[in-house]
Amino acid sequence: MNDVLKKDELKAHLSPETVLGQLKQHGVTHVVWLPDSETNWLYLLMKAEPSLTLVAVPREGLACPLAAGLTAGGKVPVILVQNTGLMESGDSIRGWLFGFEVPVVFIVGMRGWNRHGPRTADTSPQYTEPFLNAFRINYYMVESDADASRISLAFEEAKKTRHPVAVLVGDEYHGFIR
Amino acid sequence: MFHTEDFLKAFKPHRGDAIVVPGRGGKHWVNISDQPDLDLPLGDPAMGGHAAFAFGLALAQPKRKVVLFDSEGDLQMGLGILLTVAEQNPANFYHFVLDNECYATTGGQPVPNAKNVDYAMLAKGAGYPRTHSFTELDAVSAALPEILGKPGPVFVTMKVHADVENKPINERVRWRTRSWVQVVGDLQRKLGIAA
């Protein structure tokens, strides 16, 4: 019984290796990010990956013009932030990402989100999807390794539309905490 | 204190083949530069991001100098970028700040603590290895060969007169002749970057 539960739990995990594999598959060169506790294991993998340059910012809104500059210079950034930081970035998303038609993927840790949706004591997930809809940013929820193809969809959509696209990482299921 | 236009004229002979992000100096620079395909006159996409944009460009093009003419109001909105630049330590990034002590494009209201901020000290404290402050055009003009001749990142703050605008935005003369997408596209073609 315990073994069965364990297998189910593993199936429900989104492993950092899966995310890293997606970044490499889509030619990502730079990860512009502000870490949260859930992404620390991913950080360790990214740091050890020679094809990636990590660029830490102290406030998420700075990630948008930085990504725009990297893209203008021919590189392929992703922006890795928490949902709170995504919302902090509003005007920079408008001006620097939509304004410059930057095909960048946001990977967003959904702090406070669980299998029942955003109905938790943390208010941040309640606002995340309305925020994305207000900014007309399409998004894909990713909860486990089985959802990895959605990350690919996000990259392909960003490239096709030349707009930012978001991947929302459902906090409860992912395996970034080890 | 000196005029931005005069400084940009003094800078031009030292430019070489650097990429220039002229920031709030853009309206002057577009009439001074003779390499528009290497210029990124952006106007105001979203205030507080010029330094991050130019720094991103410098990371992406490490073999080419990137010169930014930032403004103190823009920098105040995104001061944290100084830390990121210093950590990444891009040798090709030259960060000039045109400090007119006010929000000139909204009528000239003073920025917070306008007359007392030492931006060079902020940059030094963030970890920029070289910083300079100038109040006179002759002094900065004389220093330009050394500033641009050594590796970055370098931070140069200058006191300049404000070109205050009071007209509503829709009534102002548009000095940008290319859209943001066109500006970036022209640069990418010049550098041989596939869009």
Side-chain angles (χ1 to χ4, degrees), chain A residues 9-22:
Chain A
E9 283 171 13
L10 284 173
K11 276 184 200 168
H13 279 175
L14 173 63
S15 69
E17 290 84 357
T18 299
V19 177
L20 184 65
Q22 288 287 324

Side-chain angles (χ1 to χ4, degrees), chain A residues 30 53-59 62-63 65-75 91-96 98-101 162, chain B residues 42 44-50 52-57 59-61 78-81 83-84 87-88 180-181 184 187-188 193 195:
Chain A
H30 292 73
T53 300
L54 304 187
V55 186
V57 289
R59 194 159 181 91
L62 293 169
L66 213 167
L70 284 164
T71 305
K75 299 301 182 185
D91 193 47
S92 290
I93 292 172
R94 176 199 62 79
W96 292 102
F98 279 104
F100 285 75
E101 299 183 359
R162 303 197 63 77
Chain B
L42 306 179
D44 187 15
M47 197 167 170
H50 266 94
F53 177 85
F55 161 65
L57 200 49
L59 281 186
Q61 291 289 318
L79 266 180
I81 197 63
L83 309 167
T84 299
E87 181 177 58
Q88 296 289 329
W180 294 326
V181 172
V184 170
L187 176 76
Q188 291 179 328
I193 297 168

Side-chain angles (χ1 to χ4, degrees), chain A residues 77-136:
Chain A
V78 293
I79 297 175
L80 175 62
V81 293
Q82 193 170 259
N83 50 355
T84 50
L86 173 78
M87 291 185 276
E88 190 276 327
S89 308
D91 193 47
S92 290
I93 292 172
R94 176 199 62 79
W96 292 102
L97 299 183
F98 279 104
F100 285 75
E101 299 183 359
V102 179
V104 71
V105 170
F106 276 95
I107 298 177
V108 181
M110 279 288 274
R111 195 188 83 181
W113 191 93
N114 67 23
R115 76 188 71 179
H116 303 295
R119 304 289 176 203
T120 65
D122 187 333
T123 61
S124 55
Q126 296 173 29
Y127 294 98
T128 304
E129 289 176 84
F131 174 92
L132 288 164
N133 289 328
F135 277 77
R136 296 171 188 161

Side-chain angles (χ1 to χ4, degrees), chain B residues 51 54-62 64-66 81-95 127-130 150-154:
Chain B
F55 161 65
L57 200 49
L59 281 186
Q61 291 289 318
R64 190 176 286 260
K65 286 181 181 172
V66 174
I81 197 63
L82 296 176
L83 309 167
T84 299
V85 171
E87 181 177 58
Q88 296 289 329
N89 202 32
N92 60 330
F93 187 51
Y94 296 82
H95 190 171
Y128 274 64
R130 285 197 295 141
K150 290 183 176 175
V154 61

